[in-house]
Amino acid sequence: MHKNRLSGLVAATYTPLRDDGTVNLDIVDPFVEHLFNNGVSGLYVCGSTGEGMSLTIAERKATAEAFVRASGGRLPVIVQVGHNSLAEARGLAGHAQEIGADIISATCPSYHKVGSAGGLTDCMIEVAGGAPDLPFYYYHIPALTGSNLDVLEFLKRGGEKIQNLVGLKYTDTKLFEFQECCELDDGRFDVVWGCDEMLLGALATGATGAIGSTYNIASGLYRRIISAFDQADFAQARRWQSLSVKMIRTMNGYPFHPAMKAVLELRGFAMGGCRLPQGRLTCDEIIRLKAELQSIGFFDWSQDGPNPGTTQ
């Protein structure tokens, strides 16, 4: 069903918000242009990064529509439709198909935990069936859903019962499990990596595509990691991956997604803060974050341009 696998860097997009907390879709067009011009190869909309779980159904639909329009067919748009209500998730899947999205993806319900691969398969049959003409990627993120089940077993079961299941967004740190999923049935499934600070390890394990938050602000750095890996220049690849680790460690000194939105604001995109309970950074925190990022050379090596040089 899905001949063209995801490759390169797929940005898990942020949803712009105004100061009053309402969705600001006017920012979507210039934001997508920024991502396109910086080498991003796809858009993952309304996921964890995009606060899909904190938006209303109407807001999720409007946000998905805005990103599909802004992409204009230049980048594949993956719409994350997961919801605690499977009926709502199925409806969001149908909406994504109607508006011309390229792919749907979904987390599992997270309030009442999914306890088995069979139960997860039953849930995803309901969701994926809402958009039978679109490829479906299950979104495995146990740290947030609390469903730390055997995802390999899910692929085996789901592959038999979910007609449009083509892949997995793997947001965990178990490289051995990721490799097993990649190799299942001679590479039947498109397994996409989702942990930015471990991209190099994933490439060595077989990843060809990755979905992540920090690709919004540092795509140039990650494309250098991929290029160095492809050229078997592993020393350079490790050095640039180390810069990613330093950047993410810096971001993690603050609430992560509000910090990311603050950096995008420094780049000229009025993203606002995040919905509660995440909130937004104070002015003092933004000043401190900027200084900390400057100290590691972030604004020199994060985007396209000269190689990072000898930044420590």
Side-chain angles (χ1 to χ4, degrees):
M1 176 179 184
H2 185 43
K3 297 179 181 179
N4 297 318
R5 297 191 170 208
L6 294 170
S7 63
L9 304 172
V10 176
T13 58
Y14 282 90
T15 302
L17 301 178
R18 299 185 179 87
D19 289 342
D20 63 2
T22 57
V23 174
N24 183 10
L25 298 180
D26 293 341
I27 304 300
V28 171
D29 278 350
F31 181 40
V32 170
E33 290 302 311
H34 160 75
L35 295 174
F36 179 77
N37 290 332
N38 280 279
V40 163
S41 60
L43 309 172
Y44 191 88
V45 178
C46 289
S48 307
T49 301
E51 299 181 80
M53 301 308 183
S54 298
L55 303 177
T56 67
I57 293 295
E59 288 171 333
R60 290 176 72 165
K61 289 181 176 180
T63 300
E65 291 169 8
F67 276 97
V68 169
R69 282 196 305 268
S71 174
R74 296 172 297 170
L75 298 170
V77 178
I78 306 104
V79 179
Q80 197 286 125
V81 301
H83 198 287
N84 274 321
S85 164
L86 293 177
E88 294 286 15
R90 187 182 179 95
L92 286 167
H95 174 262
Q97 182 170 292
E98 291 171 5
I99 64 173
D102 299 281
I103 297 167
I104 56 167
S105 179
T107 57
C108 61
S110 57
Y111 185 86
H112 296 293
K113 302 295 184 289
V114 179
S116 69
L120 177 58
T121 300
D122 291 341
C123 290
M124 294 302 105
I125 287 171
E126 290 295 316
V127 178
D133 296 333
L134 293 185
F136 172 68
Y137 286 68
Y138 172 59
Y139 180 8
H140 178 62
I141 183 166
L144 293 183
T145 63
S147 294
N148 198 4
L149 49 80
D150 187 339
V151 71
L152 183 70
E153 183 63 25
F154 162 72
L155 286 179
K156 292 176 181 177
R157 290 172 177 262
E160 295 176 354
K161 296 184 177 181
I162 305 171
Q163 295 299 313
N164 52 339
L165 175 65
V166 300
L168 179 72
K169 180 184 185 293
Y170 188 90
T171 305
D172 202 355
T173 58
K174 299 173 184 174
L175 282 171
F176 67 91
E177 185 178 60
F178 174 74
Q179 182 174 351
E180 288 182 302
C181 293
C182 289
E183 295 174 352
L184 181 64
D185 291 345
D186 295 322
R188 172 184 173 184
F189 294 103
D190 185 18
V191 187
V192 186
W193 184 249
C195 184
D196 304 6
E197 58 268 56
M198 292 179 66
L199 177 61
L200 180 56
L203 293 172
T205 312
T208 57
I211 300 172
S213 305
T214 59
Y215 307 153
N216 289 282
I217 64 168
S219 58
L221 171 65
Y222 290 103
R223 289 196 293 110
R224 292 185 185 104
I225 294 170
I226 294 170
S227 177
F229 177 82
D230 288 344
Q231 296 171 36
D233 189 348
F234 302 125
Q236 283 284 65
R238 285 193 296 271
R239 187 169 68 84
W240 289 331
Q241 183 70 76
S242 179
L243 293 179
S244 161
V245 172
K246 289 179 180 179
M247 171 185 66
I248 293 171
R249 183 177 291 277
T250 301
M251 294 289 186
N252 279 330
Y254 304 84
F256 180 81
H257 290 302
M260 286 285 296
K261 280 192 158 184
V263 173
L264 284 167
E265 191 111 10
L266 292 173
R267 295 230 186 254
F269 301 99
M271 287 289 174
C274 294
R275 291 270 170 92
L276 291 173
Q278 294 192 89
R280 66 185 303 160
L281 300 192
T282 66
C283 291
D284 287 344
E285 286 175 326
I286 293 172
I287 292 170
R288 190 164 70 250
L289 172 62
K290 181 179 180 181
E292 290 172 0
L293 290 172
Q294 286 174 327
S295 73
I296 63 172
F298 167 81
F299 295 101
D300 297 322
W301 46 251
S302 59
Q303 294 295 314
D304 289 331
N307 285 343
T310 57
T311 301
Q312 300 298 313

